[in-house]
Amino acid sequence: MAFAAACFCAVLGHETPAGAQTSDLVSRNAFRVCADPANLPISDKNGDGYENRLAELFAAKLELPVAYTWYPMATGFIRNTLRANRCDVVMGYAQGHELVLNTNHYMTSVYTLIVPKDGDLGAVTTLSDDRLKGKRIGIIAGSPPATHMARNSLIGKAKPYHLVVDRRYESPSVDMLKDLSSGDIDAAILWGPIGGPLVKQGYPDLQVIPLMNETLPPNLFYRITMGVRQGEKVWQRKLNSLIRRNQKEIDAILIDAGVPLLNDMGTALYGEDK
C-alpha cells in the first residue's frame, strides 16, 4: 500500500468504517483510483510508480481510462477519497484493514534489511543476529520491525525516521538510504515494496535482504490487496477475478520494479518453493 509504507496499514489514522454502499457508486466510464501524488516508487502524479503501472493494467483489462484522485497518504486519506466517492479503488492496501473492503491479495511482501554489499552484514537474515549488535540501524519509528529491534537490544543506537509524512515535502525512506550510503548509519530497515525498488533504481552498492525468518511476533510479511468501499461486493468480486486471471502480469510488473515477493505464507521468496 501502498502500504502505506512503514506501517503502511496504520498511517491512515483512526477512522470508523462507513456504512454499506452499493455498486451503483462505481464509475462505468473510468477506472477511478485514489493515490498519493508523491509516493515513489509506489505512485506519483507523473505515472512513474509501479502502482500506476498496475492501475494501467487493470484499466486496460476493463477497457476504461484511468482517472486519478490525488491525496497524500496520511490521516484522512480514505475519508477524503474512497468514502467521499471521489474514486473506486486504492491500489495497495494491507489485508484485513477495517477502513476498506479488501479484494483478494495480489502480492505478499516483507520488510527488508538493507546493507552495503561490501560490508560485514551481507549474510545477516534475522534481527537477532549478533553481527547487528552495536550497529546504528535506521528504522521508521513505530513500524513493526521496531518491536524486533527492541527485543534484540538494537534500539539504543538506532536512528529513527518519521512514520507519517507528506511525501511532497519529506521522504524518510530516501533519507535513510542516503544516510546508509554516506556511512551515517550501518544498516536500514524498510518495507520491501519501498526499499527494494529504491535500491534497484539508485543504490547499486546496497544489498536488500528480506526479513522472512523472524519467528516471533509481529509478522514482518503482509498480503497486499486493493481496497474498495465497504459493501461493494460486486465490484470486489470483479477485481478478484481480474487479479486471478492476470496474476502473472501483476507479478512481472512488481518483479521488474524490484519488489521482493514471497509465497502466500511468507516462508520463501517468489518461485523458490516450487
Side-chain angles (χ1 to χ4, degrees), residues 200-253:
K200 182 175 182 178
Q201 290 170 11
Y203 300 88
D205 296 331
L206 299 182
Q207 174 183 352
V208 179
I209 304 170
L211 291 171
M212 58 186 185
N213 296 319
E214 300 294 342
T215 59
L216 296 175
N219 283 336
L220 295 186
F221 73 91
Y222 294 88
R223 299 182 184 100
I224 304 305
T225 73
M226 297 179 192
V228 302
R229 277 181 293 276
Q230 293 287 355
E232 294 280 11
K233 301 294 291 185
V234 173
W235 179 226
Q236 177 202 42
R237 288 193 293 269
K238 189 169 188 175
L239 292 175
N240 286 344
S241 178
L242 285 173
I243 291 170
R244 183 177 63 256
R245 289 186 281 115
N246 298 284
Q247 188 65 62
K248 288 185 178 180
E249 290 182 70
I250 294 169
D251 292 345
I253 289 172

Side-chain angles (χ1 to χ4, degrees), residues 2-274:
F3 283 165
C7 185
F8 51 90
C9 57
V11 301
L12 301 179
H14 302 288
E15 305 172 54
T16 56
Q21 307 286 341
T22 72
S23 294
D24 291 340
L25 296 177
V26 177
S27 173
R28 294 176 173 82
N29 301 313
F31 186 62
R32 300 193 305 160
V33 179
C34 317
D36 191 313
N39 196 28
L40 288 176
I42 296 172
S43 66
D44 86 326
K45 63 183 179 181
N46 295 321
D48 295 327
Y50 60 81
E51 281 189 0
N52 298 110
R53 293 175 62 191
L54 291 176
E56 292 289 347
L57 171 65
F58 273 70
K61 300 301 180 181
L62 292 167
E63 299 182 340
L64 294 171
V66 179
Y68 281 103
T69 291
W70 300 113
Y71 196 91
M73 184 68 71
T75 301
F77 178 84
I78 294 298
R79 181 179 66 248
N80 292 302
T81 56
L82 192 65
R83 285 172 56 184
N85 193 30
R86 297 174 65 190
C87 50
D88 301 314
V89 64
V90 178
M91 295 306 298
Y93 220 90
Q95 189 178 64
H97 201 281
E98 65 181 8
L99 294 181
V100 303
L101 178 65
N102 297 104
T103 66
N104 294 340
H105 66 280
Y106 63 86
M107 76 165 170
T108 302
S109 194
V110 66
Y111 277 89
T112 59
L113 178 70
I114 303 174
V115 300
K117 283 183 177 178
D118 59 355
D120 59 351
L121 301 177
V124 171
T125 60
T126 68
L127 296 179
S128 59
D129 194 303
D130 286 341
R131 285 170 286 193
L132 294 175
K133 301 295 185 185
K135 301 294 187 182
R136 193 173 195 208
I137 303 172
I139 182 70
I140 300 294
S143 62
T147 299
H148 292 267
M149 289 182 65
R151 181 185 296 123
N152 291 293
S153 303
L154 301 175
I155 287 293
K157 294 190 69 175
K159 182 175 182 179
Y161 296 77
H162 292 154
L163 171 63
V164 182
V165 299
D166 187 334
R167 283 289 309 277
R168 293 173 296 180
Y169 309 107
E170 185 178 353
S171 184
S173 300
V174 172
D175 292 343
M176 193 187 303
L177 292 180
K178 287 181 178 178
D179 287 346
L180 178 57
S181 292
S182 70
D184 186 57
I185 58 176
D186 301 303
I189 298 176
L190 285 173
W191 171 232
I194 293 177
L198 287 177
V199 168
K200 182 175 182 178
Q201 290 170 11
Y203 300 88
D205 296 331
L206 299 182
Q207 174 183 352
V208 179
I209 304 170
L211 291 171
M212 58 186 185
N213 296 319
E214 300 294 342
T215 59
L216 296 175
N219 283 336
L220 295 186
F221 73 91
Y222 294 88
R223 299 182 184 100
I224 304 305
T225 73
M226 297 179 192
V228 302
R229 277 181 293 276
Q230 293 287 355
E232 294 280 11
K233 301 294 291 185
V234 173
W235 179 226
Q236 177 202 42
R237 288 193 293 269
K238 189 169 188 175
L239 292 175
N240 286 344
S241 178
L242 285 173
I243 291 170
R244 183 177 63 256
R245 289 186 281 115
N246 298 284
Q247 188 65 62
K248 288 185 178 180
E249 290 182 70
I250 294 169
D251 292 345
I253 289 172
L254 296 171
I255 291 168
D256 180 66
V259 175
L261 297 181
L262 272 57
N263 64 12
D264 286 351
M265 300 307 296
T267 56
L269 290 173
Y270 176 89
E272 290 189 357
D273 58 343
K274 295 180 180 179

